Amino acid sequence: MKENGSVVIEVGGHTNNIPEHDFCDKLSNARAKSIADYIVQKGIDPKRVYYKGYGKRKPIATNDTAEGRMKNQRVEIKIISI
């Protein structure tokens, strides 16, 4: 991001489906915010770093196994504009 000063990103936090929706929303938001804060602390303009918690709404694996649930507990970085 330092080399490409026009890139804007979104940090998306995700959880598995075991806890209640409210807890997952808070956890995924906190997960994404911590990464966004880290990026900003490294010198990236906060206007270029957005974050959002998706809770358990966008799984990438099954939540029926421990392995799948671990894959769903993640952070994704998406480029929103260049």
Side-chain angles (χ1 to χ4, degrees):
M1 289 187 72
K2 288 183 178 182
E3 292 177 14
N4 296 301
S6 62
V7 172
V8 178
I9 64 166
E10 177 194 86
V11 181
H14 302 269
T15 64
N16 65 43
N17 75 341
I18 292 191
E20 296 295 321
H21 271 292
D22 288 343
F23 180 80
C24 288
D25 288 344
K26 290 175 186 172
L27 177 61
S28 64
N29 197 60
R31 186 173 280 159
K33 183 179 184 314
S34 69
I35 300 301
D37 289 346
Y38 175 82
I39 293 169
V40 169
Q41 288 173 358
K42 292 297 181 181
I44 303 303
D45 184 348
K47 293 177 185 169
R48 297 175 52 211
V49 182
Y50 294 87
Y51 66 91
K52 181 175 182 174
Y54 289 96
K56 52 185 169 181
R57 291 172 187 85
K58 296 187 174 194
I60 59 169
T62 181
N63 279 299
D64 295 332
T65 65
E67 182 180 333
R69 288 188 297 274
M70 286 188 333
K71 288 180 181 180
N72 288 329
Q73 297 171 183
R74 69 193 188 282
V75 172
E76 296 178 336
I77 296 177
K78 177 173 42 173
I79 297 173
I80 12 183
S81 70
I82 297 178

